[in-house]
Amino acid sequence: MSGARGGAVRTLRVPGRHGYAAEFSPYLPGRLACAAAQHYGIAGCGTLLILDQNESGLRLFRSFDWNDGLFDVTWSENNEHILVTCSGDGSLQLWDTAKATGPLQVYKEHTQEVYSVDWSQTRGEQLVVSGSWDQTVKLWDPTVGKSLCTFRGHESVIYSTIWSPHIPGCFASASGDQTLRIWDVKSTGVRIVVPAHQAEILSCDWCKYNENLLVTGAVDCSLRGWDLRNVRQPVFELLGHTYAIRRVKFSPFHASVLASCSYDFTVRFWNFSKPDPLLETVEHHTEFTCGLDLSLQSPTQVADCAWDETIKIYDPVCLTMPA
């Protein structure tokens, strides 16, 4: 099944750039940021792409180059022009879309690739969390030139770091050490360690409607839901992907709906509360699909990006029909 059935797919081709992450602006409807790399992120430079939608499709508003691959991007929660990216050289970059050049600031402390960056959604806080292959998580205030804190405990590469949308100062991390970990900024220590898979975990996300619920996506092709009040067993398991799950995102509009993208080239939509949870499989990429986001403004709109040098925005059928 193709995403085109739910309406036109808007595609922007970016020759020589392999997409790693896509994030809708929390402020401007239709604006999208994409972090990309040359040569599949193995060598070469990176590019931050800022896209806008119009009637005819996707338009490149601005692009910024960095001297190493960019692996993730996050929008500021208090300034519509500001973003942070992270890269293969161990640094984070702060960009301003209102300026033609950048970055405004570079934060270089991690000693290996930084694979994940996320801006806290808690009002009154300006905090960014980053996860690296150096096995550490770092906490940043973008107005301060150096990190506020370093979190240690993971025993392998960190692939994903995501703030809780509910609990101030709380974030989750997922790692190649096969664990999901929940951290508290105030105690600078790990609160909960979940041995979530018997495989590397590449992604995690928090449910927007339940502060105790998270999902993990792993190299074992499975998605698992975790209730932090009892982590001995997953509360759901979703099977269907045929290669590693690269990214998973809960819906901002439906409490039990989530989306996942994979090295099997597909994006899949799920409702974990249903006996048959797989809602739709979108097959419109021809390479690893790495970036995925669900719009905060439109209940039906999804963006993704892949190593086939394309960025797509579309409305999958399952989100356009009543649940």
Side-chain angles (χ1 to χ4, degrees):
M1 193 188 297
S2 165
R5 283 184 51 199
V9 178
R10 298 172 180 181
T11 302
L12 183 72
R13 182 166 290 282
V14 282
R17 294 294 181 273
H18 302 112
Y20 265 88
E23 294 284 326
F24 281 107
S25 165
Y27 288 99
L28 301 173
R31 177 158 287 187
L32 183 76
C34 177
Q38 275 186 309
H39 309 302
Y40 308 99
I42 298 163
C45 69
T47 304
L48 170 62
L49 303 147
I50 310 297
L51 285 60
D52 285 324
Q53 297 177 63
N54 54 30
E55 291 71 32
S56 58
L58 284 179
R59 177 181 72 90
L60 183 63
F61 168 73
R62 190 153 278 163
S63 68
F64 301 98
D65 287 328
W66 184 247
N67 55 20
D68 209 319
L70 296 180
F71 295 140
D72 201 9
V73 59
T74 184
W75 289 92
S76 164
E77 293 289 340
N78 52 21
N79 184 325
E80 66 187 38
H81 302 293
I82 300 295
L83 314 92
V84 173
T85 53
C86 59
S87 83
D89 62 7
S91 69
L92 282 66
Q93 304 80 28
L94 183 77
W95 309 91
D96 183 346
T97 62
K99 295 182 166 60
T101 58
L104 296 184
Q105 191 150 0
V106 178
Y107 312 92
K108 175 77 170 76
E109 289 186 26
H110 285 295
T111 57
Q112 294 185 46
E113 290 91 334
V114 187
Y115 232 57
S116 175
V117 65
D118 193 36
W119 196 297
S120 171
Q121 297 169 36
T122 307
R123 293 189 188 280
E125 284 183 339
Q126 256 210 133
L127 295 176
V128 171
V129 69
S130 61
S132 170
W133 287 17
D134 67 12
Q135 305 183 14
T136 71
V137 177
K138 285 182 181 286
L139 179 71
W140 311 82
D141 178 336
T143 63
V144 178
K146 62 181 191 297
S147 66
L148 305 178
C149 185
T150 300
F151 298 84
R152 304 177 197 278
H154 276 298
E155 295 167 14
S156 184
V157 170
I158 296 167
Y159 291 110
S160 181
T161 47
I162 308 286
W163 288 103
S164 165
H166 308 281
I167 308 161
C170 176
F171 66 89
S173 60
S175 167
D177 68 10
Q178 309 181 359
T179 67
L180 168 72
R181 295 179 189 232
I182 312 301
W183 308 78
D184 182 359
V185 167
K186 294 171 207 63
S187 68
T188 70
V190 68
R191 277 181 47 212
I192 303 171
V193 180
V194 185
H197 297 258
Q198 290 183 301
E200 290 196 292
I201 307 169
L202 303 187
S203 186
C204 63
D205 197 29
W206 295 81
C207 179
K208 311 298 184 280
Y209 292 86
N210 179 345
E211 67 177 30
N212 293 300
L213 184 62
L214 291 97
V215 63
T216 51
V219 173
D220 62 10
C221 310
S222 76
L223 294 155
R224 291 180 179 173
W226 302 96
D227 186 323
L228 296 181
R229 292 164 296 189
N230 181 2
V231 295
R232 283 196 295 272
Q233 294 288 328
V235 289
F236 63 80
E237 183 174 50
L238 304 173
L239 303 173
H241 280 294
T242 56
Y243 283 93
I245 293 162
R246 181 62 179 80
R247 205 175 290 269
V248 57
K249 292 278 180 83
F250 270 107
S251 166
F253 291 97
H254 307 280
S256 57
V257 170
L258 54 92
S260 55
C261 66
S262 165
Y263 292 162
D264 66 12
F265 307 174
T266 71
V267 179
R268 295 174 195 242
F269 296 87
W270 315 81
N271 185 332
F272 64 80
S273 69
K274 296 197 168 186
D276 188 7
L278 181 61
L279 301 176
E280 186 172 349
T281 301
V282 174
E283 300 176 290
H284 59 198
H285 285 291
T286 58
E287 254 294 355
F288 287 179
T289 308
C290 292
L292 175 66
D293 199 21
L294 285 78
S295 170
L296 295 166
Q297 269 102 5
S298 164
T300 63
Q301 196 166 81
V302 177
D304 62 39
C305 63
W307 284 7
D308 59 10
E309 307 179 352
T310 66
I311 304 164
K312 295 179 186 283
I313 294 183
Y314 55 102
D315 298 84
V317 179
C318 65
L319 298 187
T320 60
M321 299 184 302

